[in-house]
Amino acid sequence: MAAQIQYADVEVGTELPAASFPVTRATLVQYAGASGDFNPIHWNEKFAKEVGLPDVIAHGMFTMAEAIRVVTDWVGDPGAVVEYGVRFTRPVVVPNDDRGGLIEVTAKVAAKLDDNRVRVDLTAMSAGQKVLGMSRAVVELA
């Protein structure tokens, strides 16, 4: 696969299509199984509250992975992401109800770099609060 977006067609300020990603307790159990991270803050409400959290929270790496999907969906090739980093600022709380949590992600091209690369800045929100800070990806375009 190769990037589907042409470097020449992108300008600073280009907005990527926004996306929302639902997170349920079942999602967290599936992620725990795949990642091997069975920390009880991700599945045990009583434990999470005992350690000062408002409820069960999503894994940070899960949140990070969901956010980058906006970029990989846009570019058409996950391999086009050559750098990606975030700061975890707030947890994604996942109540045990019919809705769970929601991660809402927006992104835009913040800089055009050398070698057909662009820097994309992402904003990830949940329950009206920013959950990732300094979320940036460098993407190699066609």
Side-chain angles (χ1 to χ4, degrees), residues 90-112:
R90 295 191 187 280
V92 174
V93 177
V94 183
N96 191 21
D97 59 19
D98 293 338
R99 295 173 305 180
L102 187 67
I103 303 167
E104 300 171 285
V105 183
T106 58
K108 68 178 176 179
V109 174
K112 288 187 87 168

Side-chain angles (χ1 to χ4, degrees), residues 14-111:
T14 298
E15 293 186 13
L16 283 61
S20 296
F21 305 100
V23 187
T24 65
R25 296 281 177 96
T27 309
L28 299 182
V29 170
Q30 291 168 334
Y31 183 81
S35 69
D37 182 351
F38 293 98
N39 187 321
I41 64 173
H42 303 305
W43 57 270
N44 184 317
E45 186 174 327
K46 181 177 182 277
F47 182 85
K49 289 181 177 181
E50 285 175 356
V51 299
L53 294 168
D55 207 329
V56 165
I57 63 170
H59 303 73
M61 296 303 285
F62 173 82
T63 303
M64 186 178 177
E66 290 292 80
I68 198 64
R69 287 176 56 189
V70 167
V71 177
T72 59
D73 288 352
W74 171 70
V75 76
D77 177 13
V81 177
V82 295
E83 291 179 34
Y84 179 44
V86 306
R87 283 199 181 138
F88 301 106
T89 56
R90 295 191 187 280
V92 174
V93 177
V94 183
N96 191 21
D97 59 19
D98 293 338
R99 295 173 305 180
L102 187 67
I103 303 167
E104 300 171 285
V105 183
T106 58
K108 68 178 176 179
V109 174

